[in-house]
Structures are given as C-alpha cells and as structure tokens.
Amino acid sequence: MRELRMLLLFFCLPGICSLPSYCQAPQVREVAITIDDLPAATRGSSGTGVVEMTSKLLQTLRDQKVPAVGFVNEGKLYKWGEVDARIKALQLWVDGGFELGNHTYSHMSLNQSNLKDWEEDVVRGESVTRLLLAQHNMKLRYFRHPFLDTGRDLQTRREAEAFLVGRGYHIAPITLDAWDWMYAGVYEDAKNRGDGGLQQELVKSYLSYSDDVFAYSEKLAKQTIGYEPRQILLLHANQLEADHIGELIEVMRKRGYRFITLAAALSDQAYGLPDTYVGEEGTGWLDHWAVSLGKPPQNAPVFPQWVIERSKNLALPQP
Ligand SMILES: [Zn+2]
C-alpha cells in the first residue's frame, strides 16, 4: 500500500503527471481582482451606506489576503451632503493597503463621445485619487475604460491609448467577467424590500454563472493563445460583492486560483499580444485576441434571462 502511495505521489509531481485520474491537485491558476465604479456602483446608497459597504467588502479581501485595485469615477463623489463620506470610502481603500486607479470622472464611453471630451474626462477624474494615493507614496498608474469601450475605430483606439500612456497610465484589461452589475441591482432591490428568498436565489445563480464563465474563459484562452494567462477579473463596488465576495473567492479557489496583484498579472506576455479589436460593444481581452486572430469566440455561457427581465423591470442603469 505504501509503495502504491509513493508511486502515485511520483506520478502526480508537477510536470510528470502521467496518471491524471489519480491526480487530485487542481491546476494552479492565477488571477488579479479589479473592482470598478468606486466609491459605489449602487444607486440608492447614502454616504454612510457607501462607507459601510466599502468596509465590509475590504474586510473580506483583507481576511482572505486577496489584493485588489479599485477604479474610481470621481464624479460619484459629488453628491450633496455626502462628499466627505464618499471620499472616506476611497480613503478606506488606500489605508487598507489597496490601490486605486482611474475610470474617468463621469464613466464616459469612448465609443459614444469624441476623443477630446473623453480625454478631458480622464484628466478630471484624477484629482482626489492622486491626493489619496500620494498619502501612501503611491502614484496613479492604472486606467480602466468605462463599459470596456476602447474606441469604435482603430485610429481613435490608438490615439486614446497613446494619450493614456503619455499621462503615465497602464491600461488595465480584463479577461474574466460574470456581469455582477446585472445581478447587483436586483439584489440590492431585494435586500431593501427584505426579500431574503430572492437574494438567496440571486447569489446561487451568480456563483454558478461565474463558475461557468471561468470554465468557458479558461478553455477559450487555451484555444486562442495556447495557455491560460494570469487572468484579470472585473467586479463592481456594490452590496452583492460586499455581502458575498467571500463565496466568489471560494468558487475560484476550488478552480485552483491564487490571488495576485494587477502588476503581477500584467507581467504575463499575453497582455502584449496583437490586439486590433474595435467594436460598438466593449468586451474582454480574451475576445479581443480571438477576434484579432480571426477566430471569434463561440458558445459563451448564456446569462440567466430571468435576471435580465427583473433588472429591466427595475430600469437599472448599466454601470
Ligand atoms: Zn464601470
């Protein structure tokens, strides 16, 4: 028996795993977490609510030792009577050892505006974030395109990228996205109405759909670029994540993920691959690479229609 165990151990060593059915260790995967639309992607929260939501979200990330970068829309700070609380929510990020990036001042789409206006919106979104980062000797270095809209034509895309690089930014791509924002609005409404049953149903669906999206994206990456890169996950600053990000982290750990910084993820050579994607609709970088290679992705998991219907009925805006 002991010999058999030794034999199995030998065959299950990394690199010589020739007996896959006996090898229980999951594949090692890496992911960086990014959270958009700070201080909050929610509509109805008060300043105090935003601080509480942020504290809860960051507490779980700290407990789980998961690094994250939060992307700010400074326009969301200026709500009458709540400015101090909303800036405090951002302060919690940097005081907690997390980093902030720019997501434009007003969440402006590059596909729906002219380049000059968009560039002004990028610059306008820097002031408070720069001050907060400076308190911790950090510089503003990451930028995330709102709606993942990178430009409707290649010239605009490249000019915008040159502008961002000129201002010292690294563009933060994403490769994993399970549309948490679509769940979050419905979840928040259910929570406000005290509908615990619906909340549970939404969380179950969100975690299961996320797992499907991760499996699909891992496969798509292998098909497109030949391996799974260090992934970058897109989430949003909302009550759903504040309440349940721990369970999402658990789903990812079960898939073999360990959590790395955005800087570590961006060191993957995949993020330097040819990318000529342009389109009306923003999308993730796995799609960018697939389209650039002339192999548009197929068979993506279908987002649950019932959640879309409920979201439509609430007339929730897309973040
Ligand atoms: Zn956003």
Side-chain angles (χ1 to χ4, degrees):
M1 200 54 209
R2 188 182 161 159
E3 286 74 14
L4 179 63
R5 271 209 302 273
M6 290 300 288
L7 191 67
L8 287 179
L9 190 67
F10 173 77
F11 278 113
C12 293
L13 286 172
I16 49 172
C17 189
S18 55
L19 285 176
S21 57
Y22 293 109
C23 300
Q24 296 302 312
Q27 180 179 346
V28 175
R29 300 184 156 116
E30 293 179 309
V31 63
I33 289 195
T34 60
I35 301 182
D36 285 13
D37 299 5
L38 270 53
T42 49
R43 256 198 322 183
S45 299
S46 64
T48 328
V50 171
V51 170
E52 280 169 11
M53 185 268 287
T54 307
S55 303
K56 193 171 181 188
L57 179 69
L58 298 181
Q59 186 62 49
T60 309
L61 292 175
R62 253 198 315 271
D63 291 348
Q64 298 269 351
K65 301 191 171 27
V66 172
V69 177
F71 287 89
V72 181
N73 300 125
E74 289 197 10
K76 293 191 172 84
L77 296 172
Y78 302 106
K79 204 168 164 189
W80 189 254
E82 295 183 11
V83 179
D84 286 356
R86 286 168 178 267
I87 291 176
K88 188 184 168 191
L90 295 186
Q91 179 92 50
L92 290 175
W93 279 77
V94 288
D95 287 353
F98 299 94
E99 188 162 350
L100 297 174
N102 186 356
H103 194 38
T104 75
Y105 178 86
S106 70
H107 207 273
M108 189 182 282
S109 158
L110 178 56
N111 291 9
Q112 307 292 329
S113 49
N114 77 56
L115 183 58
K116 284 287 155 249
D117 291 346
W118 186 84
E119 288 175 357
E120 276 174 27
D121 210 54
V122 171
V123 175
R124 206 176 162 205
E126 294 174 344
S127 2
V128 178
T129 310
R130 271 198 205 285
L131 286 172
L132 291 169
L133 287 167
Q135 291 173 356
H136 292 269
N137 298 316
M138 288 190 281
K139 285 206 158 77
L140 183 56
R141 58 173 173 164
Y142 292 124
F143 179 83
R144 161 76 40 77
H145 291 80
F147 308 98
L148 306 178
D149 285 350
T150 50
R152 289 160 79 170
D153 58 79
L154 206 51
Q155 192 187 343
T156 307
R157 180 170 177 185
R158 295 295 182 241
E159 282 180 21
E161 286 167 352
F163 167 79
L164 291 170
V165 170
R167 286 193 76 79
Y169 286 109
H170 298 278
I171 293 162
I174 70 107
T175 56
L176 302 176
D177 178 11
W179 283 20
D180 69 332
W181 56 271
M182 180 70 93
Y183 281 99
V186 186
Y187 176 87
E188 195 188 342
D189 177 67
K191 189 165 180 164
N192 290 341
R193 290 185 294 100
D195 188 343
L198 178 57
Q199 282 177 72
Q200 266 186 7
E201 221 179 315
L202 287 161
V203 172
K204 200 172 150 209
S205 173
Y206 171 53
L207 296 175
S208 145
Y209 178 69
S210 296
D211 204 26
D212 291 348
V213 166
F214 301 151
Y216 161 80
S217 305
E218 290 152 8
K219 204 167 140 201
L220 175 61
K222 275 194 193 140
Q223 284 167 356
T224 308
I225 62 169
Y227 74 104
E228 291 179 35
R230 293 174 169 176
Q231 309 273 11
I232 303 172
L233 172 65
L234 170 61
L235 303 176
H236 294 84
N238 56 47
Q239 197 61 48
L240 172 69
E241 297 301 351
D243 291 347
H244 297 284
I245 197 168
E247 289 141 85
L248 183 71
I249 288 169
E250 188 55 32
V251 166
M252 300 198 88
R253 287 203 202 277
K254 280 194 183 138
R255 302 195 68 80
Y257 281 99
R258 65 181 201 93
F259 297 87
I260 58 174
T261 62
L262 181 57
L266 288 174
S267 71
D268 195 295
Q269 59 187 6
Y271 299 103
L273 285 171
D275 179 354
T276 52
Y277 175 84
V278 283
E280 292 285 319
E281 294 290 317
T283 187
W285 267 243
L286 288 173
D287 289 357
H288 285 199
W289 299 324
V291 170
S292 301
L293 288 167
K295 300 190 284 189
Q298 289 173 330
N299 305 321
V302 178
F303 190 90
Q305 190 59 34
W306 69 271
V307 182
I308 296 176
E309 294 304 326
R310 281 189 179 263
S311 182
K312 265 191 209 155
N313 292 341
L314 294 170
L316 295 167
Q318 187 179 336

